[in-house]
Structures are given as structure tokens and as C-alpha cells.
Amino acid sequence: MEQKSPTVLGKEPIGKLLIQYSIPAIIAMTASSLYNMIDSIFIGHGVGPLAISGLALTFPLMNLSAAFGSLVGVGASTLMSVKLGQKDYQTAQKVLGNVILLNLIIGAIYTVIMFIFLDDVLKIFGSSPDTHGYAKDFMEIILAGNIVTHSYLGLNSVLRASGHPKQAMMATILTVVINAILAPLFIFVFGWGIRGAASATIIAQVISLAWQFHTFLDKRELIHIQRGIFKLKRKIVVNSISIGMAPFLMNLASCFIVILINLGLKKHGGDLAIGAYGIVNRIAFLFIMIVLGFNQGMQPIAGYNYGARLYGRVIEVLKKTIFLATCATTAGFLISELIPGLVVNIFTTDHELTAIAARGLKIVLMFYPIVGFQMVTSNFFQCIGMAKKAIFLSVTRQCLFLIPCLIILPNFWGQDGVWFSMPLCDFVASLLAFFMLRREIRKFKSGNVKATI
């Protein structure tokens, strides 16, 4: 039976806790990645290579939606973990109500604005007459269910923070299974094309959201839905947004970066090059999601022990998470270097698209062994409420390093300049993360740490 109380986070062995919390998160995050890959695979084989390019054009909008989702979900879940560590259960309870309200408000605003400007936005993102229709058809369905998506992602973060990693995992797996069943049915049997893939996505999230509400309506749980929690509290909103600002800015920067990548690839390689990036992005994202699973497993452990001032345990969970994340990204590096063509063929049988994507995959993942460390470090600062440092690492990686590379390098090396910009950024960002983390670890060991939230 799953542990109801989060107090074990300050008592159980760190290794045991990290596995206990990470494995469900990894399964959930990997399932989430497969969830996105399923769309690409069925669209590639059931609609065509240009449809994959159209799908890739929607990535900036998906990143932007994820940015607002993480602004609320990640920030609130971190705040909840710290408050549980401080045994402030009343505030933790109110965090749940604020998450639900904020997701409804932000999700509705995003949906309305994007619907109004969708055509113009897709043209700015690099759509052509051959790909615009695919991108628009997909996004219209996704936007119609955007409030559901925001709520689903936000509540999943809170589920993990409140001591229920298995329920969070089951919610995500449920979406994958339902999507895997509905997507081919809608595309191949009903003939709905790319709209069928989007419809399967939203229906799957609706069902998972119902599952999440079922869990939070259980009055036996320490954190559950009750009267009086559905009022926005200024301090909770400010703290949640402050902590969630790092992943928000990272996803926001990712939005602009994907735009630059798509525009660069369209200029130097055409529509199929954009489709190739869509495939590379899906494959690379699989390993990123594994690291995010480790990060999510670390988050409640680090947050709770930081709140309880058990700094030795905070350092221990950080070290173990870095090691496991590095193993995951190294596996991605080996696969991309040894069998890139075989992996790409899962998405398409088009020879030209396969060749472009395989080369891009080998280049983009060339420094992946150190990417895990960089991601864990950034997430660590976020976990313990050091929002400014987490924001700095996120923003400098995307804006200070990658954007200039994407603007400059393609002028000299064309399409390869776009591909090489990404691993170069990973390398420099990892060095910066190393120096910042080393300085912070010294403070922990000396006991010279002040609470930030």
C-alpha cells in the first residue's frame, strides 16, 4: 500500500526513496515521451512526411503551453514539498486549490489568444502552403482541449509532491494507453488524418484528469479537495510562480529556439529538414524525459529535507540523481551514434527524410553524456526554492548560448550550422552549471544556508 504520509522523506534511506519516487516518475515521463512519439509515428506512416513537418511546426506552441503549465504545476509542487517538510499542512492544502484555479485561468487565456492568431503564428513559425494545413488542423484540436491539458499536467505534479508518485505514473500511463488505442483508430479507420491524432490526445487527457480528481477527492488523503481551498492566496501564487519561473522561462526560450531552428532548417534544407528535426526532437526527448523522471523523483526528497534543514540528505540525493541522469543521457548518445538510421525508420520510410534525420540525430546528441548533469543541477536549485539561480541557468543556456549560435552558425555552415548549435550550447551550459553547483555545495557542507521560501 502506498505511503500516505510524506514524513518518510526525512527518514528513509535516500537511495531507497530516490528509486521509489523516480521509477514511477520515469515510467510516467517515458510514457509521456512515447505519448508524443505515437502521434509522430502514426502521422508519419498514416498521413505522410509533410504531415510530420506540419507537426514539427506546432512544437513552439506546444512548448509555450508547457511553459505556462510548468509555471503553475512545477512551482506549486515544489512549494508543497517544502511546506510538508515544515509540517505546514494547512498551506499545503491551499496550494492544491490554487493550482486548480490558476490552471483554469491561464489555460483559458492561452486558448483564446492562440485561436485568434493561429494562422499568423504558424506562418511566422515557418509554415509553407504544403505544411500549413497540417499544422493548423492539429493545433485547432489541441487548443480546444488546452484547459484540460494544463489541469492534467498541474495536478500530476501535485500528486507526486503530496506523496503519490504511483498515482501520477498511472495517470500518465493511462493517457499513453488510451492514445495508442485511439490514434490509429482515428487515423487509419475513421480517416481523420492529423486531426485524429490530436483528438486522441485530448480524449486521453480528459480521462486521466478524471482519474486525478478521483484521487484528490478521497478525504482519507492528507492533501485532498475540500471547502475553503479554492481561493487564490497572494503568497501562494507569488511563491509558486517565482519557483516555477525557471521552467517557465526555459520552456518559453525553447519556444523561440524551435522557431529559429525551424526557420533555419527551412531556409537551408526545406520542409523535409523541419520534419527531420521533428523526428530528432522526439527521439532526443525520450532520454530527456528519463532525466526529468529522475528530477521529479528528486524534487519532493530534496524539497522536504531542505525544509527540514537536513542538508546532508539534500546533497546525497543530488549526487545520486546526477549519476543516474548521466547514465540515461549516455545511453542516448550511444544509440544515436551507433544506429541512427534504424531509430529514424520507426517514424518514416521516406529515404530523403531518413537521411536528413539520421545525420541530425548524430550531431545533436554528440555531447549528451553531460546533458544529464546540467539538467539535474538546474532542477536542484529549483527544488530548494533558489529560483534566481535556476532561472539564470535556464535562461543563459537557451538565450545567451543557443540563440546566438542559431543566428550565426547557419550563415557559415548552412543546415549543419543549425544542427551543431545544439550540442555546442549543451557543452558550454554544462560547464557553467558545474561551477555554480560546486559553489553551492560548499555552502551546504559548511551549514551556511538560509531558507529561501
Side-chain angles (χ1 to χ4, degrees), residues 191-398:
W192 292 356
I194 200 167
R195 282 182 173 269
S199 299
T201 295
I202 297 303
I203 292 172
Q205 290 177 351
V206 168
I207 296 173
S208 290
L209 182 62
W211 163 274
Q212 292 168 333
F213 270 108
H214 174 74
T215 301
F216 280 118
L217 285 169
D218 187 348
K219 294 181 179 180
R220 295 172 297 175
E221 299 294 340
L222 178 62
I223 304 299
H224 63 274
I225 294 174
Q226 58 184 272
R227 291 181 179 179
I229 67 172
F230 294 105
K231 295 179 182 179
L232 291 179
K233 298 293 183 180
R234 184 178 182 277
K235 189 173 183 180
I236 292 176
V237 172
V238 170
N239 280 336
S240 296
I241 291 177
S242 175
I243 299 168
M245 190 59 68
F248 170 76
L249 292 175
M250 182 174 66
N251 281 304
L252 185 62
S254 294
C255 173
F256 291 109
I257 283 167
V258 173
I259 295 171
L260 287 175
I261 291 172
N262 284 342
L263 291 175
L265 289 174
K266 181 182 179 182
K267 179 179 179 181
H268 298 284
D271 288 331
L272 284 184
I274 294 177
Y277 172 67
I279 293 173
V280 171
N281 180 277
R282 293 304 196 205
I283 296 169
F285 210 58
L286 175 62
F287 298 97
I288 292 297
M289 294 300 262
I290 294 174
V291 176
L292 288 177
F294 283 123
N295 278 344
Q296 290 186 2
M298 175 180 72
Q299 182 266 317
I301 303 169
Y304 183 97
N305 286 283
Y306 179 77
R309 302 182 66 84
L310 299 173
Y311 300 131
R313 291 173 64 82
V314 175
I315 294 175
E316 185 181 354
V317 73
L318 170 66
K319 290 181 178 179
K320 284 182 166 61
T321 307
I322 288 174
F323 172 76
L324 293 172
T326 300
C327 291
T329 51
T330 299
F333 163 78
L334 292 174
I335 291 173
S336 68
E337 296 301 318
L338 298 176
I339 52 170
L342 185 62
V343 177
V344 170
N345 279 333
I346 296 174
F347 295 84
T348 181
T349 55
D350 185 271
H351 296 299
E352 184 179 356
L353 180 56
T354 298
I356 299 172
R359 176 170 173 77
L361 185 65
K362 291 185 68 173
I363 296 173
V364 170
L365 273 66
M366 63 187 301
F367 286 142
Y368 245 44
I370 61 175
V371 168
F373 165 79
Q374 192 274 333
M375 290 180 61
V376 173
T377 300
S378 179
N379 184 74
F380 173 70
F381 287 121
Q382 172 191 308
C383 285
I384 59 177
M386 295 184 177
K388 291 182 180 179
K389 293 179 180 179
I391 291 171
F392 177 76
L393 280 176
S394 299
V395 172
T396 52
R397 179 186 181 277
Q398 304 278 27

Side-chain angles (χ1 to χ4, degrees), residues 122-164:
L122 290 175
K123 290 176 183 177
I124 293 172
F125 288 176
S127 68
S128 70
D130 293 326
T131 59
H132 185 88
Y134 292 120
K136 183 178 180 181
D137 285 348
F138 185 81
M139 280 310 304
E140 282 180 342
I141 302 296
I142 294 297
L143 287 173
N146 185 60
I147 293 177
V148 172
T149 302
H150 276 225
S151 300
Y152 157 72
L153 293 173
L155 286 182
N156 235 28
S157 295
V158 175
L159 267 176
R160 280 185 293 270
S162 60
H164 296 290

